[in-house]
Amino acid sequence: MEFVDSLAGGHTRTVLRPVRPGPAGAPGVATVTRPVTPSAAADPRTVGVRHYEGGQLVWRVQCGDLISRERAVTVFVEDNQVVVVSPPGETARLTSGQLGQLRAALNEAAKMAER
């Protein structure tokens, strides 16, 4: 799972972090990343928002917080569920264009999760 670090001095960056521990007694961490290939055409509002990170399809919508620092809302599909990651402990302030991108990303992710 990837998180946006809100303490990156106003810059967005990703930090890799395990999702679930492996079986009891097994060393390391078990993570499963499935490449997801959408069959329908992507929404044009998600161009530049939608990309693959470590084989996982991720939508990262830029936004701001209450004091105008750059942040991002991240959307991805895991285990047939849509996961939305907001800026940690913060509020996401979105313009109407950014809201349209988020809406389109959530719509695409929902369609993928239904498969």
Side-chain angles (χ1 to χ4, degrees):
M1 179 180 292
E2 294 154 347
F3 292 93
V4 176
D5 184 358
S6 67
L7 302 175
H11 301 286
T12 303
R13 68 183 178 110
T14 58
V15 177
L16 295 179
R17 194 157 136 185
V19 176
R20 294 183 191 95
V29 174
T31 58
V32 178
T33 304
R34 312 178 272 159
V36 180
T37 308
S39 59
D43 190 307
R45 290 174 291 190
T46 62
V47 172
V49 170
R50 178 181 200 271
H51 54 279
Y52 285 89
E53 293 179 7
Q56 173 81 33
L57 182 58
V58 174
W59 295 264
R60 194 171 308 279
V61 178
Q62 296 302 311
C63 63
D65 64 9
L66 292 177
I67 58 173
S68 301
R69 294 177 295 186
E70 278 193 41
R71 298 292 182 249
V73 175
T74 304
V75 177
F76 62 95
V77 176
E78 180 181 87
D79 298 329
N80 297 326
Q81 295 181 331
V82 177
V83 180
V84 179
V85 182
S86 66
E90 298 195 26
T91 301
R93 179 181 288 182
L94 295 105
T95 64
S96 60
Q98 291 166 333
L99 186 57
Q101 291 175 336
L102 180 59
R103 185 174 36 242
L106 289 169
N107 188 38
E108 284 184 42
K111 288 177 184 175
M112 287 180 165
E114 290 174 350
R115 288 188 219 156

